Amino acid sequence: MIAFIVKSTVALCVFLAFYHLILEREKMHQFNRFFLLFAIVISVAIPFISFEIIKEIPVDFSRQVAISQHALNTSIHQTAEKVDYKFILLWTLYAIVMLLMAVRFGRNIWKIFSRIGNSPNVEFKNSKLVLVKEKIVPHTFLHYIFINLEDYKKQNIEAELYTHELVHVHQKHTLDILFIEFLKVVFWFNPIFLFYKKAIQLNHEFLADQEIVKTYNNVPFYQNLLLTKGSEKQTIYLASNLNYLVTKKRLIMMKKEHQKTQRF
């Protein structure tokens, strides 16, 4: 188990370092999305990959039988004497924490679907608008876009915000988040998955921002809109959030996208 943790963590760290140093600054967000997912899958699989070198060695069978009998007797004697309570304790602790994480994960999904069931739903461009009474920042889960009921009635929601959330819906970004959250439940002891989740969510925002720049070609307005919404500091667990990490990285990337569209 320790060998698995060490090997997978080293691989995860190498891939993530390469992503942050090389790929994150490049305008190839779709490739980066699948690179991050592939990095996780291959890193978890690496410890199970082994290579065998077969070499024939002459064996003295009479001596081997004697050694095997001695090893068997020793093993039985040691098993009768020792019980590894530390091993049992560690696995029990792992199972308890994983169970608690799984309950938390399931409860949050249940809360989201409860809100969907208890709120008006409106069909909207191959998605559904969930109109909630609370004052919220627009966010997306699967094909559901959560927005404030009063803002919807008064048409106070900018077209850019709808388009932003539709990108999350159509590109199925929620599946990436659910995948990484599931891994956080199983590997709760490994903090590297927290950094992967941040990288994945930021890449989702790059993808959504890219579509806005192409569609509306008004970067200053969109940036101000995000900064205004981002000041509310509302982040919804398991959802793609409009104001997620409105950082210098996103603002710089938007300018790159804008310069690219101007050249064409």
Side-chain angles (χ1 to χ4, degrees), residues 160-221:
E160 287 86 349
L161 301 190
Y162 282 119
T163 303
H164 181 106
E165 298 306 317
L166 283 171
V167 173
H168 291 314
V169 170
H170 296 157
Q171 296 188 8
K172 304 184 187 307
H173 291 167
T174 303
L175 298 182
D176 298 358
I177 297 174
L178 291 175
F179 173 64
I180 194 69
E181 284 296 334
F182 171 77
L183 291 176
K184 283 171 61 183
V185 170
V186 178
F187 303 105
W188 55 263
F189 50 84
N190 195 337
I192 191 67
F193 289 104
L194 295 172
F195 298 103
Y196 266 90
K197 183 182 178 183
K198 288 182 179 180
I200 288 171
Q201 286 186 293
L202 182 56
N203 182 253
H204 289 170
E205 297 311 309
F206 285 156
L207 286 163
D209 295 340
Q210 181 182 56
E211 190 63 31
I212 300 300
V213 171
K214 287 181 180 178
T215 304
Y216 298 96
N217 199 25
N218 191 348
V219 172
F221 173 79

Side-chain angles (χ1 to χ4, degrees), residues 2-263:
I2 294 177
F4 169 81
I5 295 171
V6 172
K7 290 179 182 179
S8 61
T9 301
V10 168
L12 285 166
C13 290
V14 170
F15 280 121
L16 189 60
F18 178 77
Y19 171 76
H20 282 305
L21 293 173
I22 306 297
L23 298 180
E24 186 182 50
R25 68 188 68 179
E26 300 299 326
K27 301 188 296 292
M28 46 185 187
H29 310 310
Q30 283 289 2
F31 173 83
N32 288 347
R33 177 189 180 187
F34 293 105
F35 173 85
L36 288 168
L37 296 174
F38 171 80
I40 294 171
V41 173
I42 196 66
S43 296
V44 173
I46 279 176
F48 299 103
I49 300 173
S50 61
F51 300 93
E52 293 184 0
I53 299 176
I54 301 175
K55 185 177 180 180
E56 293 186 2
I57 301 175
V59 178
D60 184 346
F61 288 101
S62 60
R63 186 165 177 265
Q64 185 182 35
V65 170
I67 293 173
S68 299
Q69 184 63 41
H70 175 71
L72 179 61
N73 293 335
T74 303
S75 176
I76 293 172
H77 180 68
Q78 289 178 344
T79 302
E81 287 185 351
K82 287 187 177 182
V83 176
D84 193 345
Y85 291 105
K86 184 186 292 186
F87 179 79
I88 295 174
L89 179 62
L90 287 175
W91 274 103
T92 302
L93 175 63
Y94 167 79
I96 291 172
V97 177
M98 187 178 74
L99 178 61
L100 292 174
M101 296 288 287
V103 170
R104 175 177 174 263
F105 182 47
R107 184 180 63 185
N108 279 285
I109 292 178
W110 177 79
K111 284 182 179 179
I112 291 174
F113 280 107
S114 293
R115 173 174 278 192
I116 293 170
N118 295 328
S119 304
N121 288 201
V122 177
E123 295 287 340
F124 180 74
K125 297 182 179 180
N126 296 322
S127 69
K128 284 189 178 182
L129 301 179
V130 181
L131 311 178
V132 300
K133 295 179 180 179
E134 297 91 337
K135 193 68 177 176
I136 60 169
V137 174
H139 57 276
T140 299
F141 180 81
L142 296 176
H143 64 287
Y144 298 98
I145 301 174
F146 296 80
I147 59 175
N148 177 259
L149 176 61
E150 289 301 315
D151 287 341
Y152 174 76
K153 288 180 177 179
K154 296 177 181 178
Q155 299 184 348
N156 288 338
I157 302 174
E158 293 80 358
E160 287 86 349
L161 301 190
Y162 282 119
T163 303
H164 181 106
E165 298 306 317
L166 283 171
V167 173
H168 291 314
V169 170
H170 296 157
Q171 296 188 8
K172 304 184 187 307
H173 291 167
T174 303
L175 298 182
D176 298 358
I177 297 174
L178 291 175
F179 173 64
I180 194 69
E181 284 296 334
F182 171 77
L183 291 176
K184 283 171 61 183
V185 170
V186 178
F187 303 105
W188 55 263
F189 50 84
N190 195 337
I192 191 67
F193 289 104
L194 295 172
F195 298 103
Y196 266 90
K197 183 182 178 183
K198 288 182 179 180
I200 288 171
Q201 286 186 293
L202 182 56
N203 182 253
H204 289 170
E205 297 311 309
F206 285 156
L207 286 163
D209 295 340
Q210 181 182 56
E211 190 63 31
I212 300 300
V213 171
K214 287 181 180 178
T215 304
Y216 298 96
N217 199 25
N218 191 348
V219 172
F221 173 79
Y222 180 57
Q223 287 179 334
N224 288 330
L225 180 62
L226 286 182
L227 290 170
T228 300
K229 299 295 182 181
S231 64
E232 299 181 27
K233 299 296 180 185
Q234 185 185 51
T235 302
I236 311 300
Y237 181 69
L238 294 180
S240 296
N241 298 275
L242 172 75
N243 63 332
Y244 181 79
L245 285 180
V246 183
T247 63
K248 187 177 180 180
K249 287 183 179 180
R250 279 184 71 185
L251 301 180
I252 291 174
M253 190 60 71
M254 286 180 217
K255 289 182 180 179
K256 287 184 180 179
E257 295 294 344
H258 181 56
Q259 292 167 356
K260 179 182 176 182
T261 56
Q262 283 184 325
R263 285 198 296 270

